[in-house]
Amino acid sequence: MGIPVAIVAEYLEPSPLGQAEWLKFTALFFNQEAQAEAEFAAIATEYEALTRLTASIQARPTVLTGFSYDGTWYVPGGQSYVAQLLEDAGADYLWAEVEQTGSVPLDFEAVCMTGQPKPMSGSMSVRVAESPGCDRN
């Protein structure tokens, strides 16, 4: 008889609440299903309340996120949980239109050009993430 194996794939969930719901799966191994249901309900209620706070904002900060690895910059796809978190937080994610759930490999130069500050309302502009090496001068 082999060792029991359980596959945990919460990282494949495209929604933040979908990922949080995996705590119910983990709870099964500890006979804590009722507590997990209550915890998830509380998380979902709070998350949805916070999401409603940003639903109607007009001036959204533009967000560039990701990481560089071995000369390539990776950004979360527009259908990823990260993109959903940013949208729910009231941000304008630069790669929101990319129909992908995983990371998208890009040339560093393309990221620098896309990640330039964008005007919001009036003369204000926001740069949420500063990319090393993306000097506009």
Side-chain angles (χ1 to χ4, degrees), residues 1-136:
M1 188 151 117
I3 298 172
V5 174
I7 306 224
V8 179
E10 86 286 346
Y11 67 94
L12 294 174
E13 292 286 345
S15 79
L17 285 178
Q19 288 197 355
E21 196 168 27
W22 275 80
L23 71 91
K24 295 180 195 179
F25 175 79
T26 305
L28 292 171
F29 298 101
F30 302 98
N31 294 321
Q32 297 293 316
E33 297 92 338
Q35 182 178 351
E37 287 288 342
E39 289 291 331
F40 177 73
I43 290 168
T45 299
E46 185 170 353
Y47 188 87
E48 290 163 356
L50 291 170
T51 299
R52 282 191 298 276
L53 292 175
T54 64
S56 62
I57 62 170
Q58 298 300 313
R60 295 177 173 265
T62 299
V63 174
L64 179 152
T65 188
F67 63 94
S68 179
Y69 178 75
D70 201 21
T72 302
W73 191 275
Y74 295 87
V75 299
Q79 302 301 309
S80 67
Y81 79 94
V82 173
Q84 186 64 55
L85 278 171
L86 293 170
E87 180 182 336
D88 291 347
D92 180 18
Y93 177 49
L94 289 169
W95 286 273
E97 303 303 318
V98 175
E99 297 286 331
Q100 196 166 322
T101 57
S103 295
V104 179
L106 298 171
D107 292 326
F108 186 72
E109 294 78 12
V111 173
C112 287
M113 293 304 296
T114 303
Q116 296 305 313
K118 302 205 186 307
M120 288 175 52
S121 58
S123 61
M124 185 171 111
S125 66
V126 173
R127 179 170 223 145
V128 176
E130 185 68 38
S131 302
C134 290
D135 192 2
R136 293 182 293 151

